[in-house]
Amino acid sequence: MDQVSLGKTGPMVSDLGLGCMGMSGMYGPSDRAESIATFHAALDAGITLIDTGDFYGMGHNEMLIGEALKGKDRDRVALSVKFGALRDAAGNWQGYDCRPKAVRNFLAYTLQRLGVDHIDIYRPARLDPDVPIEDTIGAIADLVKAGYVRHIGLSEVGSATIRRAAAVHPISDLQIEYSLISRGIEDDILPTCRALGIGITAYGVLSRGLISGHWQKGAAERGDFRAASPRFQEGNVDRNLALVDALKRVADAKGASVAQIAIAWVAAQGEDIVPLVGARRRDRLAEALASQAVHLTPEDLAAIEQAVPKGAAAGARYPEAQLAHMDSERH
């Protein structure tokens, strides 16, 4: 698998990353043994960029990754960790805390759960409205100096915040949703990152399964994020699945799956963009890995654009309550 630099100042990573959130129940029940087997299959395939968050399963995801890493070469893996999101014992979201002392506290627990002595890329999950981004980045910069963190990233923030953060310390990458039906970064955020030499790690490349070609209406189980996601709701889901049907015709003509076309499209948007695939099963991982053999011609890209025009998706990408916390959505 090819290796790319994550931005001008970031680490060398595989040009496809593994997002591990789904292994900790965010999309309904998951199988622990299959999750670990999928993690190992990703490493064997050459994936080195592993993404998690300390709030995924309230620490469960980090402990799972820590278990999966035992006996593996830690130095071959670039661990990307988000912090700052607060949850209660029932799993409800409680806002964000990115104060410097909270940053130090979160990192201490993350190192313990993962069983490692440093994090390769550490990033606030969202902008804390009560804490200047300069204070948060400054606190992580101190952890870089102390050797606990190697690089600093950002997540779901807008251009003004990106510039303020980059003025404090070099930023390796911005993690943000980017897919055929979530293209908001193209107008302002992506040009800002490119001007500053900041890479993009794109999550949600299959829109939480919506444009994977596998999703069926009404499939969300109890505890599944998608049960409350606007794009999966009645009145929106049928319109969005019609886009998938149109994309499938392009995929069939290319001899690829819908998921492979969707992943390949994100990868084709620039060498500075690394797609994260949220596979939690080996068969889904294998399908995603095969996207790297899909080479999209200008004619293919035009056909994809016609099938799924920019802005065609019905519904917002998050519920309104969560969008209110997303600096990236403020224009």
Side-chain angles (χ1 to χ4, degrees), residues 2-308:
D2 289 340
Q3 299 280 306
V4 297
S5 175
L6 200 53
K8 288 184 177 178
T9 65
M12 295 295 292
V13 299
S14 53
D15 59 0
L16 191 70
L18 179 67
C20 297
M21 183 177 78
M23 298 178 180
S24 293
M26 301 293 285
Y27 294 132
S30 58
D31 182 277
R32 185 179 190 85
E34 181 62 23
S35 293
I36 291 175
T38 301
F39 185 96
H40 288 161
L43 297 187
D44 291 344
I47 288 179
T48 62
L49 178 61
I50 305 297
D51 183 76
T52 184
D54 61 12
F55 50 91
Y56 292 169
M58 286 75 80
H60 174 276
N61 203 242
E62 289 182 327
M63 290 187 287
L64 182 74
I65 292 172
E67 180 180 344
L69 277 175
K70 289 179 180 176
K72 302 296 182 180
D73 185 356
R74 192 270 177 258
D75 292 334
R76 288 190 61 248
V77 177
L79 291 171
S80 167
V81 179
K82 292 179 291 297
F83 70 88
L86 304 175
R87 303 182 72 181
D88 66 16
N92 300 309
W93 301 97
Q94 303 289 300
Y96 299 90
D97 187 353
C98 293
R99 295 170 298 160
K101 65 180 180 181
V103 174
R104 294 188 290 271
N105 177 78
F106 287 133
L107 179 74
Y109 282 85
T110 280
L111 294 173
Q112 181 69 23
R113 286 188 291 254
L114 285 167
V116 299
D117 62 5
H118 71 275
I119 301 303
D120 298 280
I121 312 160
Y122 203 48
R123 68 183 85 239
R126 299 287 186 269
L127 178 68
D128 183 340
D130 299 322
V131 180
I133 190 64
E134 291 85 353
D135 292 359
T136 302
I137 299 302
I140 308 175
D142 289 341
L143 295 171
V144 173
K145 292 176 185 175
Y148 295 117
V149 172
R150 297 284 168 83
H151 304 277
I152 301 178
L154 295 169
S155 177
E156 288 289 357
V157 292
S159 290
T161 301
I162 294 168
R163 293 189 187 96
R164 288 169 57 192
V168 175
H169 188 278
I171 302 299
S172 63
D173 66 307
L174 171 70
Q175 187 176 122
I176 195 163
E177 186 170 0
Y178 188 38
S179 73
L180 270 169
I181 63 171
S182 294
R183 295 173 60 179
I185 71 168
E186 293 176 348
D187 297 333
D188 183 54
I189 292 174
L190 182 54
T192 295
C193 287
R194 285 177 167 162
L196 296 172
I198 296 171
I200 297 289
T201 43
Y203 77 87
V205 293
L206 298 179
S207 299
R208 299 168 183 82
L210 182 60
I211 59 172
S212 67
H214 304 298
W215 176 261
Q216 294 182 348
K217 184 178 177 181
E221 302 178 51
R222 182 180 176 86
D224 190 326
F225 167 85
R226 291 169 290 200
S229 177
R231 288 180 176 168
F232 291 84
Q233 302 307 302
E234 195 67 41
N236 292 335
V237 67
D238 289 330
R239 289 171 56 191
N240 292 330
L241 289 177
L243 297 175
V244 179
D245 289 340
L247 187 61
K248 186 177 187 304
R249 290 191 285 273
V250 178
D252 289 346
K254 191 69 176 174
S257 72
V258 174
Q260 288 162 357
I261 290 292
I263 297 168
W265 181 89
V266 173
Q269 303 312 302
E271 295 181 357
D272 53 349
I273 298 173
V274 177
L276 296 173
V277 294
R280 52 180 173 164
R281 289 171 20 194
R282 282 168 286 181
D283 58 339
R284 295 288 191 253
L285 174 66
E287 181 182 27
L289 288 167
S291 71
Q292 296 203 300
V294 177
H295 301 290
L296 300 177
T297 65
E299 291 75 22
D300 294 331
L301 292 169
I304 292 169
E305 185 73 27
Q306 184 174 9
V308 188

